[in-house]
Amino acid sequence: MMAINTHGNHSVMDTMKNVFKREKHIAPLAVLRIAFGIIMFISTLRFLLKGWVADFYIKPVFHFTFYGFGWVRPLGAVGMYIVFAILLLASLCIAAGFFYRVAITVFFICFTYIELIDVTYYLNHYYFISLFSFLLLLVPAHRYFSLDVVRCPSLKRTLVPGWCIAIFKAQLCLIYFFAGLAKLNADWMLHAMPLRIWLPANAHLPVAGPWLIHTWVAYVFSWAGAFFDLIIGFLLLYKPTRSMAYLLVVVFHLLTGWLFKIGMFPYIMIAVTIIFFSEAWHQKLIVRLGRLVGAKASGMEITTRSYRFSFPGLMYGMLAVYFVFQLLLPFRYLLYPGKLYWTEEGYRFSWRVMLMEKAGTTFFYVKDPQTGKQGEVLNEAFLTPMQERMMETQPDMILQYAHYLHDVYAARGVHDPEVTVKSYVTLNGSGSRLYIDSTVDLAKQKESFFTKKWILPFHNSSDQ
Amino acid sequence: MKRITGLLLGCAGIALVMSVFSCSKDTTGTINNGSGADAQDSILLNLGYNIILPSYQSLADTVNSLDSAITDFNQSTDSAHLARVKTLFKNAYVAWQAASEYDYFGPATDPQSVLKSLNIFPVGTTQIDNNIANGNYNVNTAANIAAKGFPALDYLLFGANNTELIVDYTTGINASNRKRYLSAVAADIKTEVNAVLTAWSPQGGNYVHTFVTATGNSAASGLGLLLNSYNQDFEILKNFRLALPLGKFPIGSSLAIQPEEVEAFYSGISVKLALAQLKAVQGIYLGTGAQGNGLGLRDYLVKANAQYNGGLLSDTIAVKLATAVTDLQAIPDPLAVTIQDNPGPANAVFAETQKLVVLFKTDMPSALGVLINYGDNDGD
């Protein structure tokens, strides 16, 4: 996507046409489908085995919802486990290409539903999985090397329009590039924050550990990380550098996975970036996989059959809207005043990964306006430790919780209680400072896309 | 497939290069004694062997003395023996406070010996009276969580004046049942405390070794476990030893002072106990324990050069802890009476503990890259 900008306008159109409309072999799509299905099966199983379904979705009495999605509720114990069982089954069906269209659609809906239940557990890579499964449900990834083709051979196709593969490359390039752009700020580049805090904390690790205590190592990691994110998309797109680039992807993600607690993210990225390899590479891989499962050689057909979309114009329109949205969303923070890391207005859904060491403590006060009596809320009565921790550094969650407390104490007989907070937050080693205007009755503040005036400004003499 | 082979060779090459580098790194690490990895180990070593183990040893010693004094009292039930039991009870209760900072990890969380269950207050007096009356109970069960431990002894030994107590334990209704309950509660404390001490000791379960060798900053590391537990315990000082009796929590619309909610309501040693806890918190921070001065949590912050408000975080916490200790010391026991006559000083200490909660829960873990979570999740 990015590389074409180097050409003139005329040839841009030509290249776009070439990339999007020219027919490509379907093999990369089939391999991507298998890789995605397997890694999602492992992720879901791991989530279940860690007991997180109960911890995250069954035990909490209150859930933080996304603005506009307050109607999304958890289903209760049985319902939640059924949803996860469906995810497991759907992942396997996706990998095998068995009733693929149904499986990927169900996967997309169930996964996105789970992510919408509670903001607390928002992770960039969960957002990525939702997006990727959405893109996967648009393409005929099951029309080759799949149980659907075994079940119904007439489904088989060997060629797809180029865009079916290009959209995944584009999505991945966007993610890496935006992740790189997000690192180009004073905290990351000039102060090596937060790696300066995080790396020395890993000094006990074998091999690299003893080096991590040095500040210059944090600078090397910061600059190398930013450079990697900015350039890796281009290196993966450009054939001569592709193999080296994939090796870099593997090393980079394994290293971050080893140093930080980021779960499945590294493995998901390693699995899906194989889409950048050539058609021939994927065809050979499929021949090998075919031999493993005892299928007849299917990579070297002489006859070709093209897959044609019924309404290509509609598809192009939808994809155009999707990618314009993807391009603009990470820049929405520019519409808000103040320091982004501090206010977090426009922070999510922007591929800002591992950028902040942020922590807070928030005391909530409920006041009876009639008697003037005020008391401090014991947060543990309403929130799990993780919910409390995430809420304490994110103003929209602080507001939601304040509204919830208003309702709880109103139900307990306090007439229209006022809710105020004393909130302290530290950001990238700044030392804790007051975060929210402690005089504002949050029960009276409304959530909206407008800036939250009750967030106090971040005064940091060492930064700007 | 040549490319795959190439990739594998490349990976192997990188691994080789890294391991060569690592050899030189290891040497520099060993030569330089001031390195992070090294210092981290010695802080954990001091905390484990010079502070935590002696705290549990002292708790076990005082609890064992108390248990035998209660056995004596049950045999010769007189005011002299009662006085001795009362003194030893106070000693053991103080010792419990000095070990409560480790209540939330390791052996103290074993289902058979949950040490924090030995101090659930306010005590369930009705339940204790019922247990004594019907003589049918098992103290170490969830059902009796409010009828066991130190709060139960507090009620059983201080619930009436000495003369009445002697009568209760000699000629009163259910006198023998009462004696049996008293010794059952003491025996339960003794069993649980000794189980935890054994599990920590090098001669027993040697958990101290597990603790000091779990370096790093993950939730499962010694530092991660200790910081999380330390925070939870400190919040009990703020929330339950101070805020609750001071009427800081909104319960419906009534927010009056609740003196009956204090810890050790009957013996009236609430401040003494709170002070014992705060001093233990301070000791872990400064590294001072049974063996004198050593390395503590403060040294992690010094190493990380953590900043706070233009100064050093390590100094800020030390100063605020010292202030809180001084101000708490100035409050006279019994707290239940003090907060009704003059709640000002207790309110001031409450405000100081609130500031310390922020520093412990936000600044300290953030500066050290430790997650205060009490749970488990991925990040990205």
Side-chain angles (χ1 to χ4, degrees):
Chain A
M1 274 295 280
M2 294 295 163
I4 35 187
N5 291 337
T6 54
H7 299 282
N9 270 342
H10 185 70
S11 66
V12 166
M13 287 312 291
D14 287 349
T15 319
M16 294 279 270
K17 247 182 200 163
N18 190 28
V19 168
F20 284 93
K21 293 200 171 160
R22 201 181 61 126
E23 292 192 317
K24 293 278 174 68
H25 197 276
I26 196 173
L29 216 46
V31 172
L32 181 68
R33 184 201 80 219
I34 295 166
F36 185 78
I38 291 172
I39 200 84
M40 284 306 109
F41 180 80
I42 296 169
S43 288
T44 312
L45 195 62
R46 171 176 174 271
F47 199 95
L48 274 161
L49 293 177
K50 282 185 173 276
W52 288 348
V53 180
D55 289 349
F56 296 179
Y57 298 110
I58 298 169
K59 286 178 193 162
V61 294
F62 169 71
H63 289 286
F64 292 94
T65 51
F66 287 91
Y67 183 47
F69 290 90
W71 47 272
V72 179
R73 313 291 338 150
L75 285 171
V78 176
M80 288 317 297
Y81 279 111
I82 289 175
V83 173
F84 274 84
I86 292 172
L87 272 187
L88 276 182
L89 190 67
S91 309
L92 286 182
C93 289
I94 291 165
F98 188 60
F99 291 100
Y100 169 77
R101 293 278 193 183
V102 177
I104 189 71
T105 309
V106 164
F107 181 92
F108 167 71
I109 292 169
C110 288
F111 191 91
T112 307
Y113 160 68
I114 291 166
E115 291 323 306
L116 286 176
I117 293 174
D118 200 323
V119 183
T120 306
Y121 318 115
Y122 169 82
L123 291 179
N124 283 296
H125 75 264
Y126 290 156
Y127 172 48
F128 165 75
I129 291 167
S130 275
L131 293 180
F132 224 64
S133 56
F134 173 73
L135 293 178
L136 271 169
L137 72 80
L138 302 179
V139 297
H142 60 312
R143 297 287 187 121
Y144 193 73
F145 197 59
S146 69
L147 288 183
D148 281 340
V149 169
V150 173
R151 185 170 63 85
C152 180
S154 67
L155 284 175
K156 184 172 175 178
R157 297 290 183 278
T158 53
L159 296 174
V160 288
W163 67 261
C164 287
I165 293 157
I167 52 173
F168 297 100
K169 295 181 186 175
Q171 181 67 64
L172 287 166
C173 286
L174 281 179
I175 291 172
Y176 281 117
F177 193 71
F178 275 122
L181 274 187
K183 291 182 173 69
L184 300 181
N185 63 66
D187 277 18
W188 186 274
M189 302 299 284
L190 302 183
H191 306 302
M193 277 291 183
L195 291 184
R196 208 175 179 156
I197 295 174
W198 290 343
L199 291 182
N202 282 306
H204 64 288
L205 289 176
V207 187
W211 273 24
L212 299 176
I213 56 164
H214 302 292
T215 307
W216 67 264
V217 174
Y219 276 98
V220 169
F221 271 67
S222 295
W223 282 67
F227 194 65
F228 169 86
D229 279 341
L230 286 170
I231 203 169
I232 194 69
F234 302 108
L235 296 182
L236 284 165
L237 286 171
Y238 186 51
K239 200 176 175 205
T241 54
R242 191 171 294 145
S243 299
M244 185 267 297
Y246 188 70
L247 180 63
L248 275 177
V249 166
V250 172
V251 170
F252 175 83
H253 286 300
L254 288 183
L255 191 65
T256 52
W258 183 54
L259 287 176
F260 310 117
K261 196 164 176 270
I262 47 179
M264 291 300 293
F265 175 62
Y267 311 104
I268 293 170
M269 294 311 276
I270 289 170
V272 296
T273 40
I274 54 166
I275 189 69
F276 284 94
F277 285 113
S278 69
E279 293 165 56
W281 187 90
H282 283 281
Q283 279 173 274
K284 281 183 202 160
L285 184 64
I286 282 190
V287 171
R288 298 215 161 187
L289 286 175
R291 279 190 207 133
L292 272 180
V293 296
K296 282 172 278 174
S298 51
M300 302 297 169
E301 304 78 0
I302 300 138
T303 55
T304 57
R305 292 185 67 189
S306 301
Y307 183 85
R308 300 210 195 286
F309 283 84
S310 316
F311 306 101
L314 190 72
M315 198 59 96
Y316 295 153
M318 193 170 72
L319 287 171
V321 171
Y322 175 91
F323 279 104
V324 166
F325 198 69
Q326 285 296 316
L327 275 169
L328 293 180
L329 206 57
F331 289 114
R332 75 188 187 284
Y333 78 95
L334 293 171
L335 301 172
Y336 296 99
K339 187 179 167 76
L340 171 66
Y341 292 0
W342 184 249
T343 67
E344 297 205 29
E345 294 184 296
Y347 191 87
R348 295 184 198 110
F349 310 113
S350 305
W351 315 116
R352 302 180 199 285
V353 186
M354 304 286 288
L355 292 174
M356 306 187 289
E357 170 54 47
K358 196 176 181 188
T361 305
T362 310
F363 306 106
F364 281 81
Y365 299 93
V366 173
K367 187 175 174 182
D368 185 336
Q370 288 177 334
T371 62
K373 279 178 181 165
Q374 177 174 286
E376 186 187 322
V377 175
L378 212 50
N379 291 335
E380 65 189 41
F382 306 105
L383 303 177
T384 64
M386 195 193 308
Q387 286 180 313
E388 186 182 8
R389 183 168 64 82
M390 297 308 287
M391 174 272 291
E392 287 175 319
T393 58
Q394 300 180 53
D396 60 339
M397 294 173 78
I398 290 176
L399 183 65
Q400 265 193 53
Y401 182 51
H403 287 173
Y404 173 70
L405 289 176
H406 170 274
D407 297 348
V408 165
Y409 284 94
R412 289 185 190 175
V414 184
H415 178 72
D416 199 14
E418 289 172 14
V419 182
T420 52
V421 295
K422 234 195 258 175
S423 168
Y424 299 88
V425 168
T426 175
L427 170 62
N428 283 347
S430 68
S432 62
R433 48 191 75 181
L434 212 53
Y435 191 43
I436 304 291
D437 185 343
S438 58
T439 62
V440 168
D441 176 10
L442 291 178
K444 296 274 186 297
Q445 304 300 315
K446 295 269 176 291
E447 178 60 79
S448 76
F449 285 128
F450 292 103
T451 187
K452 294 174 173 60
K453 295 205 171 84
W454 36 267
I455 304 173
L456 296 174
F458 179 79
H459 300 293
N460 191 347
S461 47
S462 66
D463 188 23
Q464 281 112 41
Chain B
M1 287 300 124
K2 266 182 197 154
R3 280 206 187 90
I4 294 251
T5 327
L7 284 184
L8 288 175
L9 279 175
C11 283
I14 283 192
L16 193 70
V17 170
M18 281 179 76
S19 59
V20 169
F21 271 125
S22 72
C23 295
S24 53
K25 279 179 225 166
D26 275 344
T27 13
T28 44
T30 337
I31 293 164
N32 177 7
N33 272 335
S35 83
D38 233 38
Q40 210 161 4
D41 290 347
S42 43
I43 297 172
L44 275 189
L45 279 171
N46 187 52
L47 289 171
Y49 288 98
N50 295 337
I51 297 184
I52 301 180
L53 266 186
S55 301
Y56 277 131
Q57 187 60 59
S58 154
L59 175 59
D61 292 346
T62 54
V63 157
N64 294 345
S65 309
L66 172 64
D67 180 66
S68 58
I70 282 176
T71 309
D72 294 346
F73 169 74
N74 279 346
Q75 269 152 27
S76 9
T77 313
D78 54 35
S79 56
H81 280 92
L82 180 60
R84 184 172 150 71
V85 168
K86 284 184 166 188
T87 305
L88 292 176
F89 162 78
K90 288 177 183 173
N91 291 348
Y93 210 169
V94 164
W96 185 91
Q97 306 285 333
S100 66
E101 293 69 30
Y102 324 111
D103 274 357
Y104 300 89
F105 69 102
T109 56
D110 183 281
Q112 283 309 303
S113 55
V114 183
L115 283 202
K116 68 175 177 195
S117 76
L118 296 180
N119 191 19
I120 304 294
F121 60 90
V123 65
T125 51
T126 318
Q127 196 177 352
I128 292 178
D129 291 341
N130 287 341
N131 283 346
I132 291 171
N134 63 40
N136 187 18
Y137 49 81
N138 174 3
V139 179
N140 193 10
T141 56
N144 279 320
I145 192 97
K148 65 179 276 190
F150 292 98
L153 293 184
D154 184 53
Y155 172 62
L156 290 167
L157 298 171
F158 296 85
N161 69 40
N162 282 356
T163 325
E164 288 165 354
L165 274 174
I166 299 293
V167 172
D168 284 346
Y169 283 96
T170 48
T171 55
I173 314 162
N174 297 326
S176 64
N177 270 7
R178 187 173 299 274
K179 280 182 177 174
R180 209 150 58 77
Y181 199 76
L182 182 66
S183 71
V185 171
D188 171 58
I189 295 175
K190 183 184 169 182
T191 310
E192 296 196 37
V193 165
N194 282 286
V196 172
L197 174 65
T198 307
W200 268 90
S201 323
Q203 299 80 20
N206 205 5
Y207 182 79
V208 67
H209 179 77
T210 312
F211 175 77
V212 299
T213 51
T215 52
N217 71 331
S218 72
S221 66
L223 174 61
L225 292 170
L226 177 63
L227 263 195
N228 276 298
S229 184
Y230 188 77
N231 262 287
Q232 292 193 61
D233 181 62
F234 191 77
E235 288 201 47
I236 291 189
L237 173 63
K238 172 192 157 274
N239 290 338
F240 297 106
R241 298 201 165 89
L242 295 167
L244 191 60
L246 281 167
K248 298 281 182 196
F249 294 130
I251 303 157
S253 50
S254 70
L255 294 161
I257 282 186
Q258 299 175 312
E260 71 285 356
E261 300 278 352
V262 298
E263 183 179 31
F265 177 71
Y266 296 98
S267 56
I269 55 167
S270 318
V271 175
K272 186 187 176 81
L273 295 176
L275 197 59
Q277 185 204 5
L278 189 59
K279 282 189 168 168
V281 165
Q282 189 184 31
I284 295 163
Y285 181 72
L286 299 175
T288 47
Q291 320 293 317
N293 283 336
L295 297 172
L297 293 178
R298 172 162 74 169
D299 297 279
Y300 286 111
L301 295 177
V302 170
K303 186 124 257 12
N305 192 30
Q307 302 293 308
Y308 180 81
N309 206 12
L312 286 178
L313 179 61
S314 50
D315 295 342
T316 306
I317 294 179
V319 168
K320 286 196 190 296
L321 268 173
T323 310
V325 167
T326 310
D327 291 351
L328 184 57
Q329 250 161 351
I331 299 173
D333 259 327
L335 186 63
V337 177
T338 313
I339 56 173
Q340 292 178 80
D341 298 345
N342 178 21
N347 275 318
V349 173
F350 166 75
E352 285 160 13
T353 58
Q354 199 172 41
K355 282 180 201 149
L356 280 165
V357 164
V358 174
L359 296 172
F360 286 153
K361 198 180 145 189
T362 294
D363 290 87
M364 185 148 74
S366 195
L368 302 176
V370 175
L371 215 56
I372 288 295
N373 196 352
Y374 323 144
D376 192 22
N377 185 31
D378 294 335
D380 79 357

